[in-house]
Amino acid sequence: MVWSADGAPIMGLTGGGGSERHVDYLLTSCASANEPQRVFYVEMACNGLFGNGSYQQHPQDRAIYYRLSAAELAAPNPEAWRLFHDMEVVGEMASRLPQDTPRYWQALTAANRMINLFEHSDASTVGPARAVATEFLSAQGGDSTHQVYAIGNCHIDTAWLWPFDETKRKAARSWATQINLMEDYPEYRFAASQAQQFEWLNENYPSLFRRIQDKAQTGRFIPIGGTWVEMDCNIPSGESLVRQFLLGQRFFKHHFGETCDVFWLPDTFGYSSQLPQIVRLAGAKYFFTQKLSWNNINTFPNTTFRWVGLDGSHILTHMAPSNTYGAQCRPGELIDSVKRHKDIAYSNESLYLFGNGDGGGGPLRPMLERMRRMQSVDGLPRVKQTHPREFYEHVEKTAKDLVSWKGELYFELHRGTYTSQSNNKLWNRRSEFLLRDTELLCTIAHIQSSSGGFQFKYPSSELTRLWKLVCLNQFHDVVPGSAINMVYRDSEKMYKDVFDSAEELRRQAVAAVYGTDA
C-alpha cells in the first residue's frame, strides 16, 4: 500500500507475476522542472496475490525476511502505451473472430499494417500506427448486436489462503486503487460486496471509507449483495441465512442510504432451494452467480432464468456467460459472452464482471484502456459500464419466455470440502442452537421484567456482535473447510468468544426469570 505522509491510504500494490501484478504508482500526470518534494510511505511484504510460496507445500506463517533491492522512477511514453493497448485489442480480434467474416480480415489487415508501420526505435512511427488502429476501432456495430453490461469488481475471499487480518488489508489496497482509477476513467463503475469487509474498512481505514461513501453517492462505487459475507449456502441453517441478509442490509442502509436489490454470490459451492424466498423477504429480487459454470459433470442449461424456491418465490437470475468474475477486458471474453449465452433467443444481453479477484486487486489501468477501445466496435458486442441493476431491469422489461428452474442449484465440484474441518462445522451448528436459546430466554426475561419486579435489559448489541462472528465464519471458504490452517486458529478463538458470551447471557436470563442459575 502507498500511504501519504499524513497517513491516508492512496493506492494498493500487488506483487507476483502475471496479469494481476501491479507495482506502479503515478506520481504526477505532467511533471515539470520545479516539482515539489513529495513524501510517501510504502507498506509492503514479499507476497504475491495468493501469499508467499506454495501454499500446498509450506506453512503460511513462516518468519522469513526480505530486502527491497530496487525502486525506479520512470517517465512512460503515453502515446506508445496507447498504441500498445490498441494492438492488444486489434490483434486479439484478429485471432478470435471467425475467419469467414469480413471483420476478421479487416482486423488482420489492420494489425499487419500497424506492425509494418511501427519501428520501436523511432517514436515518430507511433502516430501513423495509431491512426490505423483508430480507423479500425471507429467502425461501430448495429443496434441488434449483443449488449454487454460491464462492472468492475475484485471478489475478495474473506479468508482462504490468508487469514482474516490479511483480508482487511486486501480490501483497503484493492478499493483504494479503484477510487484512484475513477479519477482518470469517469465512465468506470465498480461493485463490492460483503458488509463485513466494509465494516473492517470503516474501523481500520476511516478516511478511505469516507471516500468510498462519497463515490457511492455518485453511483460509481456500488455496494452490492446485501449479505454480511458471501456465505456458504448448504451448511448454515435457514436462520443463519436470514441473519446474513439482516446484518448486511442493515449495514448498507445505515452507511450508504439504501439496501441492495441484487443478491451477489459469484463463488460459493451450491445454492439451497430456500434462498429465493429469503432473498425476496430481504428486499432483493435479482441474483448473480457464475459458479455453476465450473460443474464437472453436467453443464448447467441456462444463463438468464427465473429461480423458483420452495414456496414459489422467484428471483431473476443470471450467470455471466463469460464464465468468470475475473475477466481481463479482452475481445475473446466478449466473443465468448455471446457464444456461451444459453438463453440468447430470449434475452440478447449479459453481465460481464472484470478485474483480478479472489485475492483482490480488481481492475487495473490496462483493463480500462482495453475496455474503452471495445465499447462499441464492429465485430464485438456493445459494452457499457453500469450498475448491475440496470441490466436486470432491462431484462425484466424486454426478455421473452424466460425459463424457470425450481429447487436447489447444485454445484458439481468442491464436494470434498464438506468432509473437512469437522470441528469448525460442529462449532457452527452449536453456535446456531446456542444463540437461538439465548435470544429466546433473553426475550422472555426482558418481557417479564416489565411486570415481574426485576430489571433485565435485552442485550441487543452483544447478540448482534455474536451473530456477526457466526456469520463471518460461515464464509464459503471457512465453514466448508477449504481455507488454510491459520484461518481455523482464528475461527476457533471466535467460536470460544461466542460460546463464553452467549452462555453467560443465557445464565443471566435464566437467573432473572427464575431467580437461579439452574
Side-chain angles (χ1 to χ4, degrees):
M1 173 80 85
V2 179
W3 296 78
S4 69
D6 57 358
I10 301 174
M11 173 73 79
L13 303 175
T14 301
S19 61
E20 69 270 8
R21 181 174 173 83
H22 172 225
V23 293
D24 57 285
Y25 171 62
L26 183 65
L27 293 172
T28 177
S29 59
C30 186
S32 67
N34 300 307
E35 285 292 317
Q37 183 184 38
R38 290 179 170 85
V39 178
F40 298 96
Y41 295 94
V42 180
E43 174 190 11
M44 59 185 297
C46 191
N47 293 329
L49 190 63
F50 297 106
N52 185 314
S54 173
Y55 64 88
Q56 295 176 329
Q57 299 177 14
H58 304 291
Q60 292 75 37
D61 53 356
R62 296 172 293 159
I64 300 177
Y65 295 88
Y66 299 84
R67 181 182 297 275
L68 176 65
S69 60
E72 298 176 334
L73 285 175
N77 183 328
E79 196 67 4
W81 276 105
R82 294 185 187 107
L83 175 60
F84 175 78
H85 297 310
D86 289 343
M87 191 63 194
E88 285 187 301
V89 173
V90 177
E92 187 162 328
M93 288 181 68
S95 68
R96 288 300 308 273
L97 287 172
Q99 295 186 17
D100 58 353
T101 62
R103 197 57 173 160
Y104 160 78
W105 292 104
Q106 294 167 11
L108 185 61
T109 300
N112 281 330
R113 289 181 60 199
M114 292 167 67
I115 290 296
N116 291 335
L117 286 168
F118 174 68
E119 172 54 54
H120 76 277
S121 60
D122 184 357
S124 67
T125 63
V126 171
R130 283 216 69 210
V132 174
T134 300
E135 180 183 5
F136 172 80
L137 294 172
S138 64
Q140 297 187 350
D143 293 339
S144 63
T145 305
H146 185 77
Q147 177 69 65
V148 167
Y149 294 77
I151 182 69
N153 83 117
C154 59
H155 169 73
I156 302 176
D157 284 321
T158 300
W160 180 33
L161 305 180
W162 49 85
F164 295 104
D165 282 345
E166 184 60 25
T167 301
K168 300 173 185 178
R169 295 185 283 269
K170 282 179 178 287
R173 293 193 296 264
S174 301
W175 297 351
T177 299
Q178 306 317 310
I179 292 293
N180 273 296
L181 288 174
M182 289 176 186
E183 302 304 321
D184 295 330
Y185 299 90
E187 75 277 13
Y188 177 41
R189 301 292 183 271
F190 177 83
S193 63
Q194 307 190 79
Q196 173 68 90
Q197 294 181 13
F198 283 90
E199 183 174 77
W200 282 337
L201 195 78
N202 192 24
E203 293 170 351
N204 298 301
Y205 304 87
S207 63
L208 178 57
F209 185 79
R210 289 192 294 270
R211 291 175 64 197
I212 287 175
Q213 286 179 308
D214 291 341
K215 291 296 183 185
Q217 289 296 316
T218 68
R220 300 184 62 194
F221 196 108
I222 302 167
I224 203 165
T227 55
W228 191 244
V229 296
E230 291 185 6
M231 67 285 190
D232 178 78
C233 296
N234 291 322
I235 293 175
S237 66
E239 179 64 26
S240 289
L241 295 178
V242 170
R243 298 293 178 137
Q244 289 283 350
F245 282 97
L246 184 64
L247 293 171
Q249 293 284 48
R250 279 180 175 174
F251 182 91
F252 291 126
K253 178 66 174 178
H254 178 72
H255 291 282
F256 295 97
E258 64 179 7
T259 56
C260 304
D261 52 9
V262 180
F263 175 36
W264 190 267
L265 195 55
D267 181 29
T268 197
F269 311 154
Y271 307 86
S272 67
S273 54
Q274 73 232 70
L275 275 171
Q277 178 183 10
I278 295 173
V279 170
R280 292 304 294 252
L281 291 173
K285 56 181 179 177
Y286 309 127
F287 174 43
F288 172 81
T289 186
Q290 65 84 46
K291 195 68 172 183
L292 298 194
S293 67
W294 294 22
N295 278 4
N296 65 346
I297 300 173
N298 299 293
T299 300
F300 192 78
N302 302 113
T303 296
T304 304
F305 59 99
R306 300 192 184 280
W307 183 20
V308 182
L310 291 176
D311 72 328
S313 298
H314 62 83
I315 50 179
L316 180 58
T317 301
H318 181 73
M319 300 187 185
S322 59
N323 290 352
T324 182
Y325 49 75
Q328 300 292 299
C329 297
R330 295 194 175 276
E333 296 165 340
L334 297 181
I335 293 170
D336 289 339
S337 291
V338 181
K339 283 184 174 181
R340 296 171 179 164
H341 199 304
K342 303 180 184 72
D343 299 292
I344 203 164
Y346 315 113
S347 175
N348 191 27
E349 49 208 339
S350 61
L351 276 175
Y352 177 80
L353 278 63
F354 64 94
N356 294 321
D358 291 333
L364 300 178
R365 192 175 296 271
M367 299 182 196
L368 295 174
E369 288 291 337
R370 291 192 293 269
M371 182 64 75
R372 275 186 169 176
R373 289 156 174 79
M374 299 187 299
Q375 284 186 8
S376 184
V377 60
D378 187 22
L380 297 178
R382 292 171 295 149
V383 183
K384 64 184 300 186
Q385 297 189 57
T386 186
H387 194 303
R389 180 194 301 124
E390 183 178 337
F391 161 78
Y392 286 100
E393 289 175 345
H394 195 262
V395 170
E396 278 189 319
K397 294 176 182 177
T398 62
K400 300 176 178 64
D401 302 320
L402 290 179
V403 302
S404 295
W405 180 277
K406 297 182 180 180
E408 178 184 13
L409 295 175
Y410 182 73
F411 180 48
E412 298 173 349
L413 199 65
H414 298 0
R415 286 163 291 202
T417 57
Y418 293 108
T419 68
S420 66
Q421 297 294 341
S422 58
N423 280 343
N424 202 258
K425 294 173 172 61
L426 173 65
W427 296 331
N428 170 73
R429 185 67 76 237
R430 180 183 167 192
S431 296
E432 290 174 333
F433 283 126
L434 178 59
L435 286 177
R436 179 200 64 183
D437 294 348
T438 302
E439 287 183 323
L440 177 62
L441 289 167
C442 287
T443 300
I444 294 172
H446 177 71
I447 293 173
Q448 291 189 357
S449 68
S450 60
S451 59
F454 61 91
Q455 293 293 322
F456 186 89
K457 182 179 179 181
Y458 187 82
S460 177
S461 296
E462 178 63 5
L463 286 169
T464 297
R465 184 185 75 85
L466 299 182
W467 266 114
K468 286 181 177 179
L469 291 176
V470 173
C471 287
L472 169 59
N473 283 282
Q474 290 172 348
F475 180 73
H476 65 256
D477 275 312
V478 178
V479 73
S482 51
I484 59 174
N485 182 260
M486 291 176 70
V487 173
Y488 294 104
R489 290 182 228 158
D490 292 339
S491 180
E492 183 175 357
K493 295 175 184 176
M494 294 181 197
Y495 279 123
K496 184 179 186 304
D497 183 5
V498 172
F499 298 149
D500 291 346
S501 179
E503 288 169 357
E504 173 60 21
L505 292 177
R506 185 177 61 179
R507 185 198 65 77
Q508 293 174 9
V510 170
V513 174
Y514 297 105
T516 175
D517 290 351

